[in-house]
Structures are given as C-alpha cells and as structure tokens.
Amino acid sequence: MLTSGLQHVAAMYAGVVAPPLIVGAAVGLSGTELTFLTGASLFTAGLATFLQTLGVWKIGARLPFVNGVTFAGVAPMLAIVDTTKDKADALPVIFGAIIVAGLLGFLAAPFFSRLVRFFPPVVTGSVITLIGVSLLPVAFGWAQGPNPKADDYGSTTYLSLAGITLVVVLLLRRFTRGFLKQVAVLVGLVIGTLIAIPFGVTDFTPVTEADVVGFPTPFHFGAPQFALAAMISMCVVMLVSMTESTADMLALGEIVERPADEKTIAAGLRADTLGSALSPLFNGFMCSAFAQNIGLVAMTRIRSRFVVACGGGFLVLMGLSPVAASLISVVPRPVLGGAGVVLFGSVAASGIQTLAKAGLEKDNNVLIVAVSLAVGIIPITKPEFYHAFPETAKIILDSGISTGCVAAVLLNVVFNHLGRRKDDDTVTAPMEPGDEISGTATAKAAHVH
C-alpha cells in the first residue's frame, strides 16, 4: 500500500507544484514564500484526496481519485494577477474568488450532475485543449530564464538546459517501463537540475533556509478579498473543473467496474468543490481530479481507494515539511520549462483525444470547436485585444479558458439542442482529392449548395 500510494504521488507531483510555481512567480514571491505556497498546495491536495477517497456523509465519490490543483485555474489566476494594481493583494483576491466558487459549486453539485448532457466531448475536449495551449507560453517563458529583464534572458545556455531536460523526459518515456516511465517528468527534473549545477543556475538557498517541520499558517498572505470580476472568472473555472471531474469519474468508474451513477457523481463533485472552498484557508488553490492517476489505476490494476488515500497521506506529510516542499524550488526555471513542454502539451493532447470522440464528422461540432478555440486563443496570440474594455471585464476576457468555455457551452446549446432538424448533421466539408463521390453524396452536395 505504501509503495503504490507513493507511486500515485510521484505520477502527479509535478502537476501539483506547477500551478503554485506559475502563480507565485507572477506575483513576485521570494524563494521562501514560493516554498510555502508549494507546500500549502501539497497539503491541501492531500486533504482533498482524503475527502474524495474516504468520504464523509454524502461527500466523496469513494473511488481511487487523487485530487490536486487544477490547471484550469492557472490562466484566469494570472489574469487576476495582471489586473491587480498592488501585487500583494493578488493572492487574497484569488483566494476569495476560489472560496466563493467552491461554495457555489458545492450547492450546485446535485443539479450539475443532471446537466452532463450539456457538456459533451465537443465541449470538454475544446476546453481541455485550451487549458494546455494557454499554459504552453508559461513553459516557453520558463525555458528562457528566471528574469525577463536580465541580459542573459533567452540565452543559449538556458535554452540548452530546457532542451536537454525535454530530451531526457522523452527518452525515459520511450525506453523505460513501469514506475520509471510514470515518473519520467520527475526524473527529468532531477537530471536537468544536476546538469545545471556546473552552469551556476541552481540555487539551493530555499532548502538551506527551510524548516524540517512547519504548518501552512491560515491566511498567510492576508485575509481573502472578494472582487466581483475575479469571482465570476473563478466560477467559470469551477464549471470547467466540475465538467472535467465528471468525465474522470465516468472513466474511472468503468476501469474499477463500478459505474459512476448520478449519486456518485454528485458526491464526487461535492468533494471537489468543498476541497476547493477549504483550500484557500491554508493558502491552497482550486482542486480537481488528476486524470494521469486514472491511467495509473488502469495500468497497475490496483483499484483500492485506500491505496490512493495513502498517497493523500504522503501529500499531507510533504506539505507539513517545508524542506520537502522546497526541493522543487531548487529546480532552475529553464529545466522546469523543458519539462513543462511535455506536461502542458500533454494536457492539450488529452483535449485532442477527447475531441476525437466528439463526432467531428458533423458540421455543427466542427463549428463549435472552431469558434470556441478561436475565441480562447485570442488572449494568447493578441494579449492587447481587449485593451479598451474595463479592467474588471479584462479579468474574464484575458482568460482564454473562461471565454472559450463559455463560447463552447453556448454554441453547443444553440447548434445541438435548440430547434434541431434532421438535416443538421449534414456534412458540407470539402472532400479530399481522389475521393469517390457517390450518388447520395452528390445529391446531398447539390441540396446544400
């Protein structure tokens, strides 16, 4: 149980510590404060995992679920940081918004479990793809170095370290098996850090200054603040997170041969949302199920929820040991950037896998994906696109995940639910050269044009 639980932690560790590193760096936290924020995320991920696996009353799916900081919230949180004048207020504003989103999500859980039909693969796939695409620029920024204003930012040394780390991770994934293959990102970070030492870009100060034992002090960064635009943005993220968790529960239910019914989904969503609402009390972020651990359950065939609960125990212990949490702070940014390409790219690839099941042979679904992705990519390709809008509105609009999700849901309702006709599924996309045109296809084409 101990080794299997530790394997779950190893498989999701990089995913848990990445969001606090991204947000903490954007806020401008010191190495010590960044270590604290990382430890808090580990601690709250452990608590959320306990809530999901062991359950209390009608809270918790009681499935082998690992919970941690969701990537869906990173881009909106960065937008909040960018639009907050005093960076010292950024984290309190984020925490306040997460508390509100978590509580509203908890109340909505039983109703949301009945609305799954409005979040088909065409919606969830578009959103998950946008999550990965939105995070990739962060990895590219890491690869260029720790300080954008420094003269050596984007130097060949930094880019080489990122490239070496990326190659190491790819080689491990290609030529190893079992446990080592699952922790390829973690091993890549270790090897990349060791290689970076001779270049003088590895700083061990956070480890030497960290205490062996410590507790994540409640409201360490200040009392939560409640800004309307930030709360709306995080509520949208909560909907995305609940949608993703619902899909994960359905998938895991099939793997462990205990299909997730409406009651199980509602209980699982309550655990996600309550865990998210409680996390900011200990300086943590929004929590959600980790899909990579579902793959681990399928691969190992160890289906016990108590094994995953054991993994949650490891997360809590790591969160209570600042030294353990500080280890990730030692990793140079370029090394994180190399691993981030795989980590965030995998999120986008997961979305594309979902879209493959979305029925893209139908024109309606093609339009939904096309427009929602286009809307979601606007803040990435044209960061100043919404410069004329009020600052409060920009918190939502500058998050491609939030805008893309809203667009996907609304378009899905319009095209696939309102006033559907029998000929709505007609495919009008041009055929590839050399395709044979049957009489039926010709008739359809003539009818359409």
Side-chain angles (χ1 to χ4, degrees):
M1 180 178 287
L2 291 174
T3 54
S4 297
L6 186 60
Q7 183 170 244
H8 275 284
V9 174
M12 55 88 76
Y13 182 82
V16 172
V17 299
L21 282 174
I22 298 170
V23 177
V27 174
L29 297 182
S30 64
T32 304
E33 294 292 338
L34 205 56
T35 295
F36 182 91
L37 192 64
T38 303
S41 292
L42 291 168
F43 179 75
T44 53
L47 295 182
T49 299
F50 282 150
L51 202 58
Q52 191 68 270
T53 54
L54 302 179
V56 178
W57 183 56
K58 295 182 179 181
I59 302 170
R62 292 170 174 81
L63 289 169
F65 257 129
V66 174
N67 272 43
V69 184
T70 174
F71 277 111
V74 175
M77 287 190 290
L78 291 178
I80 293 173
V81 173
D82 290 339
T83 53
T84 303
K85 293 182 180 179
D86 187 352
K87 298 305 178 186
D89 293 332
L91 285 176
V93 169
I94 289 172
F95 291 148
I98 292 174
I99 291 173
V100 171
L103 293 176
L104 290 178
F106 182 83
L107 296 175
F111 305 101
F112 188 88
S113 62
R114 302 171 192 168
L115 300 176
V116 180
R117 67 192 184 95
F118 292 108
F119 295 88
V122 68
V123 173
T124 56
S126 298
V127 174
I128 296 171
T129 302
L130 280 173
I131 291 172
V133 172
S134 297
L135 292 175
L136 278 172
V138 175
F140 302 150
W142 282 349
Q144 292 179 285
N147 185 5
K149 297 180 181 179
D151 293 335
D152 61 350
Y153 187 71
S155 66
T156 54
T157 299
Y158 288 149
L159 296 181
S160 297
L161 287 173
I164 290 171
T165 305
L166 174 59
V167 170
V168 169
V169 173
L170 293 176
L171 291 176
L172 288 171
R173 289 291 299 178
R174 174 62 181 86
F175 296 106
T176 60
R177 295 181 180 180
F179 179 75
L180 188 58
K181 184 175 183 177
Q182 288 297 320
V183 298
V185 172
L186 195 60
V187 175
L189 291 175
V190 172
I191 294 176
T193 301
L194 293 175
I195 294 174
I197 292 176
F199 295 94
V201 295
T202 305
D203 182 13
F204 290 95
T205 304
V207 176
T208 58
E209 294 180 350
D211 297 326
V212 177
V213 179
F215 185 79
T217 312
F219 302 129
H220 176 80
F221 297 98
Q225 300 178 24
F226 302 96
L228 180 60
M231 289 188 290
I232 294 173
S233 180
M234 296 313 293
C235 283
V236 172
V237 174
M238 180 57 73
L239 289 175
V240 175
S241 177
M242 292 170 74
T243 303
E244 190 175 352
S245 288
T246 299
D248 288 341
M249 277 184 269
L250 293 171
L252 187 59
E254 295 296 325
I255 292 171
V256 300
E257 297 179 356
R258 200 193 109 189
D261 54 15
E262 188 176 303
K263 181 179 178 182
T264 301
I265 292 174
L269 292 177
R270 287 192 189 99
D272 269 5
T273 52
L274 182 60
S276 296
L278 294 176
S279 288
L281 303 181
F282 301 101
N283 313 284
F285 298 116
M286 189 177 292
C287 293
S288 180
F290 267 50
Q292 56 263 50
N293 290 84
I294 297 175
L296 193 58
V297 171
M299 184 189 74
T300 61
R301 298 189 179 182
I302 299 176
R303 304 172 179 178
S304 171
R305 61 191 174 104
F306 299 105
V307 166
V308 175
C310 181
F314 279 119
L315 289 171
V316 170
L317 291 176
M318 293 171 71
L320 294 175
S321 175
V323 169
S326 67
L327 291 176
I328 193 64
S329 301
V330 174
V331 181
R333 292 290 171 83
V335 174
L336 279 172
V341 171
V342 176
L343 193 62
F344 304 151
S346 296
V347 176
S350 176
I352 294 172
Q353 287 178 328
T354 304
L355 286 175
K357 308 171 186 175
L360 295 184
E361 71 278 0
K362 302 175 183 177
D363 269 5
N364 286 350
N365 289 344
V366 171
L367 288 173
I368 293 169
V369 175
V371 176
S372 58
L373 288 181
V375 170
I377 290 174
I378 287 174
I380 303 173
T381 56
K382 287 288 184 181
E384 301 300 321
F385 189 81
Y386 299 110
H387 74 278
F389 285 76
E391 291 297 317
T392 52
K394 284 163 64 177
I395 292 178
I396 301 170
L397 296 174
D398 283 345
S399 167
I401 297 170
S402 298
T403 54
C405 177
V406 172
V409 171
L410 292 179
L411 288 171
N412 178 59
V413 171
V414 171
F415 280 97
N416 290 332
H417 291 276
L418 296 179
R420 282 180 56 81
R421 302 191 306 268
K422 290 184 179 179
D423 62 345
D424 279 348
D425 291 339
T426 302
V427 180
T428 59
M431 302 180 70
E432 292 296 326
D435 285 349
E436 293 184 5
I437 302 178
S438 64
T440 305
T442 305
K444 285 186 177 180
H447 171 72
V448 171
H449 295 289

